[in-house]
Amino acid sequence: MRFDAVVIGGGLAGHAAAISLSEAGKSCVLISAGQSAMHFSSGSMDFLHTLPDGSPVLFPEKSLDALTAAAPAHPYSVAGKERTLAMALRAEKAFARWGLRTEGSLAAGNHLRLSPMGKFIPTWLSFEDSVTVPVKDGKAVFPWKKVAILSVRDFLDFSPEIAASGPRALGAETVIVFFTLPALETLRANPSEFRSINIARILDKPEHKPRLAEAVREAAKGVDAVFMPAVLCLNRENLLDELKTRARKPVKLISTMTPSLLGARLARKLSRIFLKNGGVLMPKDEVLGFEARETADGVEIANVRTRNHGDIAISGKDYVLATGSFFGRGLVSDRNGAREAVFDLDLAEPPGPRENWSSPDFFAPQPSSTFGVRVDASFGTYMKGKPVKNLKAAGLVIGGFDPVREGCGAGVSLVSALAAADAIAKGE
Amino acid sequence: MRNPLLDTNFEACTKCTICTEYCPVSEANPAFAGPKQSGPDGERQRLRDASFYNETLKHCTNCKRCEVACPSDVRIGDVIALAREKHAKRSFSPRDAILSHTDFTGSLCSSLAPAVNFVCGLKPARYFMEKFLGIPAWRTFPKYSWQTFRSRWFNGAPPQDEYDETVSFFHGCFANYNNPSLGIDSVRLLNALGAGVRLLEEERCCGVPLMASGFFDDAKKNALANKAEIERALEKTDKVLCASSTCVMTVRDEYPDVLGVDNAAWRDKFDLLTRHAYRLLERGKTPRFKPLEITVAYHTACHMEKLGWSAYSIELLKLVPGLKIILLPSQCCGIAGTYGFKRENSETAQKIGEGLFSDIRDSKAELVVSECETCKMQIEMSAGVPCENPVTVLARALAG
Ligand SMILES: Cc1cc2nc3c(=O)[nH]c(=O)nc-3n(C[C@H](O)[C@H](O)[C@H](O)COP(=O)(O)OP(=O)(O)OC[C@H]3O[C@@H](n4cnc5c(N)ncnc54)[C@H](O)[C@@H]3O)c2cc1C
Ligand code: SF4
Ligand code: SF4
């Protein structure tokens, strides 16, 4: 089967690349072995919140030079400041164009999102309906004096007390309120399935809106805002707007323990956008092998083979590898070290013997989380030292950065995906 | 003896609940505990104590969307089907017997087709079906054809020996009894791609409706009979092709995984018709299509989603000049074979399908395209838009 572009891996990076390519008029297939890390993510997208030396980042734009000095192998450093910022801006615009209602921008600097653990975490883009606060003069500005945290009774994936510790630490008063609906009782019969997504399926139904709105209105009395765990608005995003109108106060969501509704909602929306652009989705398929040919100045991928398609190869003029890290199974490890799972691409830092992988100090940067493939400035890849001319890498499969510690997972994913798509569209 | 449950990988479950998020039944019917609880979680309990089995497992339609979503490759649908096979109480229901024994029902109804179609449309008969068989009165019943595909074939099919290659064709129950034109279209398309067609000497229902109603022994008998026929056909041809996604998924995957019928020697040779059509195209066969100026919406049936082969049909349809193709987000239509025909499920079935029906109506498509025959019935009834197999659309677009 022939396409202009073959994208391997259906996480944030793969989807962003595939949608951009389809927008550029390329026929595009997205092959994905299963659901991705989006389902576990907060739903906020981080660009950069900590430098490798541990210092916090408020204005990522201003910190890129320091990052390049400290971490020259970081994808932002490799791509260069100009390209990195251009692609980040392009991602902000793309999100708006795709109808993903987010707030935040690099121009405004990081804002803070409230985590379910009651921490305010610096981030780049958050969904409009989640609890965020701005930073002014290096300090969090909590805009409300008193907030209610309204949770569902017996919902165990979210602790209102712990979440409330965040606003309290910033001097706000908090009240905790619970509600339930008769329709939730059936679900509760099965406590292990009393989870965010299942609850949202019920709360999103129009017939429950009056009771839900009543609960929110009650909770809103005497407070300035109502915060709820993200257990609604999976399929009906405007539900929150309606609740807000009824309560005449801001109503906002806080992400819960997994499964993450905000992340799951993002995953669904991205797939729909790709389909709408005429993209071909191959869910639950896995690239198992490939054919390549040597050219005068490098290597060229001829086609890939997948589990579902067997003898029928899938070929593209260009390929994007977005298979994630160890978690997404884009990288695998064995006794001899780590390797990239599909093409055995060159890694950014040779992993060396296994003993050196994890530092004995638990809190020190863990070398294994910076593993990943080596890329050039337009996210091209290398095989046995030679450039692979038609294969780019995007997302966590790339090496040289620590997404968790530096808080840059989604940022690297989006920047690399859009840069890869851009380079392909321009024929670079 | 091999314990098929041990091969389902259920121990690999990380309890992430992504499967439950994608289960159309647990979304529509909260009484169903969902794939994680009914599948891997429940299996751990059932292994300790069989009394943990509970009858809500029968709500599972075996659509396999949970398996497609699971990041850990747990074969959740199989865990549930095997648990039902092992633990479910067997009770005889005439309705389930009629709905699931498609060979018997089909041949009986076909020989009486005009009468059956007439009677099935009558109000008192509908009332009878609802009252005594538990088939809801408003449910449109498939029309039975007066002449089966097989009888038409043996009474005047065009000669098939003048082609470069010959393939065997497994028509399935629906093409035989209800929609012989799908059988005829399949032959026309293959002929246009340079392949002659032969039928199997004998063909039984693949067994999927039998499994759905708990008749695992009957399903296994059919599977063994089909296996023998397929093996015989493969002595003469390289491929056995079928246009129905559910039959293909069942013969390839459910035979070994659920029924314990070994097909390793020929699994890859039993193929979806559009997939092989694509292969012929890649080998340079180019059928000529005339323009078809309509908008079609492609619906990915659950078992197509599991097979992962929608792209072949879509790429083939793109060859038809003038045809505008809208890709619908992949969702279950709710019918799930015979599931939606049962009174206790019909409300759930309609609820499951709501999202798809509104996507179809919003698309303004004149025709829905899908490889599944029960999706066809459900979509035509509930979205009010005709639905055809891509093979039919392609065959109708053939020039000359
Ligand atoms: C648990 C977790 C929580 C996170 N939380 C946040 C957060 O709060 N904020 C933030 O900014 N970032 C977060 N991140 C990081 C961020 O989510 C990632 O940057 C983003 O998800 C992009 O990842 P990816 O697309 O590169 O890979 P993944 O999301 O891992 O996706 C890889 C995809 O590739 C598929 N795949 C793998 N191998 C193959 C193959 N051979 N063939 C076909 N498909 C294959 C996998 O099935 C998977 O779908 C989190 C990451 C994790 C793991
Ligand atoms: S999706 Fe797979 S791993 Fe996750 S809970 Fe379901 S069966 Fe377990
Ligand atoms: S097979 Fe379908 S109905 Fe059954 S548990 Fe899985 S997703 Fe739900």
Side-chain angles (χ1 to χ4, degrees):
Chain A
M1 235 177 296
R2 267 178 291 274
F3 298 91
D4 291 335
V6 177
V7 179
I8 308 168
L12 180 62
H15 272 93
I19 296 172
S20 305
L21 286 162
S22 63
E23 282 182 339
K26 302 277 176 192
S27 72
C28 184
V29 61
L30 177 56
I31 307 170
S32 186
Q35 289 298 337
S36 72
M38 271 188 277
H39 288 258
F40 303 91
S41 79
S42 62
S44 281
M45 278 147 285
D46 310 336
F47 186 84
L48 182 67
H49 69 45
T50 307
L51 286 173
D53 66 4
S55 53
V57 173
L58 289 179
F59 285 93
E61 283 181 327
K62 292 185 189 154
S63 298
L64 281 180
D65 291 332
L67 178 74
T68 305
H74 193 290
Y76 293 159
S77 313
V78 176
K81 187 171 166 181
E82 197 182 328
R83 192 188 297 246
T84 299
L85 293 177
M87 290 304 138
L89 189 64
R90 190 177 282 199
E92 289 172 7
K93 288 191 179 144
F95 270 38
R97 186 166 69 245
W98 299 339
L100 302 164
R101 293 161 58 185
T102 55
E103 59 183 0
S105 67
L106 280 193
N110 280 335
H111 61 271
L112 305 174
R113 70 171 170 94
L114 178 57
S115 83
M117 303 315 289
K119 293 255 162 24
F120 282 98
I121 298 175
T123 189
W124 169 35
L125 296 169
S126 295
F127 285 104
E128 256 174 37
D129 46 14
S130 48
V131 177
T132 59
V133 302
V135 186
K136 233 189 192 148
D137 304 325
K139 280 217 182 74
V141 188
F142 195 75
W144 303 288
K145 284 203 181 68
K146 187 172 178 185
V147 296
I149 298 188
L150 173 62
S151 189
V152 173
R153 189 176 303 142
D154 295 339
F155 174 55
L156 299 179
D157 291 336
F158 176 79
S159 159
E161 287 79 11
I162 295 178
S165 65
R168 274 207 297 269
L170 294 182
E173 222 184 301
T174 57
V175 282
I176 290 167
V177 202
F178 294 95
F179 80 105
T180 188
L181 295 177
L184 291 172
E185 299 300 318
T186 340
L187 204 59
R188 208 194 315 277
N190 209 328
S192 73
E193 299 299 300
F194 204 58
R195 315 289 291 269
S196 60
I197 306 267
N198 301 32
I199 295 172
R201 286 166 164 180
I202 290 175
L203 295 185
D204 280 356
K205 291 209 172 100
E207 64 256 39
H208 301 310
K209 203 178 80 188
R211 296 187 81 138
L212 179 62
E214 187 50 34
V216 175
R217 215 169 54 88
E218 274 298 310
K221 281 184 185 156
V223 300
D224 305 313
V226 179
F227 297 169
M228 297 178 73
V231 294
L232 63 164
C233 303
L234 177 63
N235 296 312
R236 274 182 72 207
E237 251 181 289
N238 55 2
L239 178 60
L240 217 57
D241 298 335
E242 296 167 30
L243 295 176
K244 212 178 310 181
T245 317
R246 293 279 185 91
R248 298 214 194 87
K249 304 266 167 66
V251 184
K252 300 266 178 185
L253 303 178
I254 307 172
S255 62
T256 65
M257 299 289 139
T258 56
S260 155
L261 180 139
L262 297 170
R265 190 176 73 184
L266 175 64
R268 286 177 187 217
K269 284 192 152 187
L270 291 175
S271 300
R272 282 195 164 228
I273 295 162
F274 179 58
L275 276 180
K276 228 185 186 149
N277 289 351
V280 175
L281 257 180
M282 293 184 177
K284 200 63 180 188
D285 200 0
E286 192 173 350
V287 173
L288 300 175
F290 69 98
E291 279 176 292
R293 43 180 173 256
E294 299 240 354
T295 63
D297 48 354
V299 182
E300 208 170 63
I301 306 298
N303 61 49
V304 294
R305 303 262 169 190
T306 75
R307 187 168 57 193
N308 287 344
H309 294 285
D311 62 306
I312 300 178
I314 296 175
S315 62
K317 293 186 196 108
D318 289 284
Y319 298 79
V320 178
L321 182 73
T323 46
S325 60
F326 296 101
F327 183 86
R329 289 189 283 177
L331 303 175
V332 288
S333 60
D334 51 36
R335 244 174 259 110
N336 304 322
R339 90 195 143 72
E340 185 279 307
V342 177
F343 300 99
D344 202 6
L345 294 175
D346 295 353
L347 298 186
E349 286 163 69
R354 202 181 175 134
E355 302 81 85
N356 305 348
W357 276 19
S358 56
S359 157
D361 175 2
F362 182 78
F363 293 102
Q366 298 292 310
S368 70
S369 52
T370 66
F371 277 166
V373 304
R374 173 187 164 205
V375 289
D376 65 20
S378 53
F379 295 93
T381 58
Y382 298 86
M383 199 183 275
K384 298 199 181 69
K386 292 189 178 135
V388 190
K389 286 162 45 192
N390 60 346
L391 173 63
K392 315 254 180 236
L396 296 196
V397 74
I398 299 172
F401 69 108
D402 187 331
V404 179
R405 211 181 113 80
E406 294 158 2
C408 63
V412 167
S413 296
L414 290 169
V415 164
S416 56
L418 297 190
D422 186 56
I424 290 171
K426 288 188 182 142
E428 263 177 42
Chain B
M1 211 193 85
R2 161 178 169 256
N3 176 358
L5 263 172
L6 294 179
D7 297 337
T8 56
N9 203 23
F10 77 89
E11 294 289 6
C13 171
T14 60
K15 298 182 185 282
C16 67
T17 74
I18 288 178
C19 50
T20 302
E21 188 192 325
Y22 287 87
C23 170
V25 175
S26 82
E27 171 151 27
N29 179 3
F32 177 50
K36 170 174 154 287
Q37 175 61 32
S38 307
D41 279 5
E43 197 51 40
R44 283 194 200 100
Q45 298 172 320
R46 293 188 288 266
L47 278 182
R48 258 182 288 132
D49 179 351
S51 71
F52 277 108
Y53 179 80
N54 92 39
E55 290 294 331
T56 61
L57 264 66
K58 72 171 188 294
H59 291 302
C60 166
T61 64
N62 203 21
C63 71
K64 307 233 175 244
R65 289 192 183 262
C66 51
E67 293 186 10
V68 173
C70 172
S72 312
D73 291 339
V74 178
R75 284 178 15 218
I76 312 155
D78 289 351
V79 176
I80 296 174
L82 288 163
R84 290 180 56 199
E85 209 253 82
K86 195 161 142 201
H87 302 287
K89 286 199 287 290
R90 303 278 199 273
S91 64
F92 182 75
S93 134
R95 185 238 13 223
D96 288 358
I98 289 178
L99 282 177
S100 58
H101 288 73
T102 48
D103 290 326
F104 173 74
T105 312
S107 49
L108 188 70
C109 291
S110 278
S111 55
L112 302 169
V116 171
N117 290 337
F118 179 68
V119 172
C120 281
L122 288 181
K123 284 230 173 65
R126 279 315 185 72
Y127 179 76
F128 171 85
M129 290 206 292
E130 164 120 41
K131 262 285 172 271
F132 297 97
L133 298 177
I135 297 167
W138 48 266
R139 178 60 73 193
T140 319
F141 233 63
K143 290 221 171 11
Y144 282 92
S145 175
W146 178 233
Q147 244 196 333
T148 64
F149 170 68
R150 281 190 97 80
S151 64
R152 284 208 205 175
W153 175 265
F154 291 113
N155 288 315
Q160 296 292 320
D161 38 24
E162 55 203 46
Y163 296 95
D164 303 348
E165 75 166 303
T166 309
V167 293
S168 298
F169 177 51
F170 186 99
H171 47 66
C173 299
F174 189 75
N176 195 32
Y177 299 116
N178 306 99
N179 191 8
S181 57
L182 173 58
I184 293 162
D185 292 334
S186 300
V187 177
R188 285 192 60 211
L189 180 65
L190 287 166
N191 287 173
L193 285 159
V197 174
R198 55 192 309 284
L199 302 194
L200 309 192
E201 300 288 323
E202 202 201 319
E203 198 184 286
R204 301 261 186 103
C205 164
C206 68
V208 90
L210 293 166
M211 287 188 263
S213 291
F215 297 102
F216 287 94
D217 298 341
D218 291 348
K220 185 160 182 173
K221 273 188 216 144
N222 282 15
L224 288 169
N226 283 335
K227 172 181 156 125
E229 285 300 330
I230 291 165
E231 284 169 357
R232 260 170 72 180
L234 288 170
E235 287 167 12
K236 300 203 177 70
T237 62
D238 292 339
K239 289 273 171 194
V240 179
L241 305 178
C242 175
S244 156
S245 48
T246 295
C247 305
V248 173
M249 196 277 299
T250 305
V251 173
R252 288 172 57 101
D253 297 339
E254 307 285 88
Y255 278 15
D257 296 346
V258 177
L259 296 174
V261 172
D262 182 16
N263 65 2
W266 48 265
R267 179 177 180 270
D268 284 342
K269 296 178 179 169
F270 192 92
D271 215 338
L272 186 72
L273 198 154
T274 45
R275 182 168 187 244
H276 193 63
Y278 191 87
R279 216 180 259 125
L280 294 173
L281 206 71
E282 288 214 320
R283 285 184 204 154
K285 309 282 181 189
T286 40
R288 280 195 311 120
F289 291 110
K290 58 187 182 221
L292 210 55
E293 301 283 345
I294 58 169
T295 301
V296 300
Y298 180 83
H299 159 63
T300 310
C302 295
H303 293 160
M304 273 308 281
E305 179 91 350
K306 179 73 193 355
L307 289 167
W309 291 343
S310 306
Y312 298 113
S313 304
I314 296 166
E315 293 304 305
L316 285 164
L317 289 168
K318 284 182 185 164
L319 299 175
V320 178
L323 196 70
K324 188 166 172 251
I325 308 160
I326 294 169
L327 305 175
L328 296 167
S330 180
Q331 299 180 64
C332 180
C333 74
I335 189 95
T338 53
Y339 181 87
F341 282 101
K342 301 174 182 173
R343 181 171 46 203
E344 66 274 20
N345 299 334
S346 67
E347 200 191 318
T348 305
Q350 293 314 100
K351 257 198 220 159
I352 292 174
E354 270 166 21
L356 175 68
F357 309 146
S358 71
D359 280 347
I360 291 175
R361 284 190 286 259
D362 293 348
S363 77
K364 304 266 190 303
E366 293 142 271
L367 180 74
V368 178
V369 182
S370 180
E371 291 82 352
C372 172
E373 51 276 342
T374 52
C375 292
K376 170 181 160 73
M377 293 182 228
Q378 172 75 332
I379 287 168
E380 291 184 341
M381 186 194 79
S382 307
V385 180
C387 177
E388 294 297 347
N389 193 294
V391 168
T392 295
V393 179
L394 292 164
R396 304 285 158 90
L398 284 173

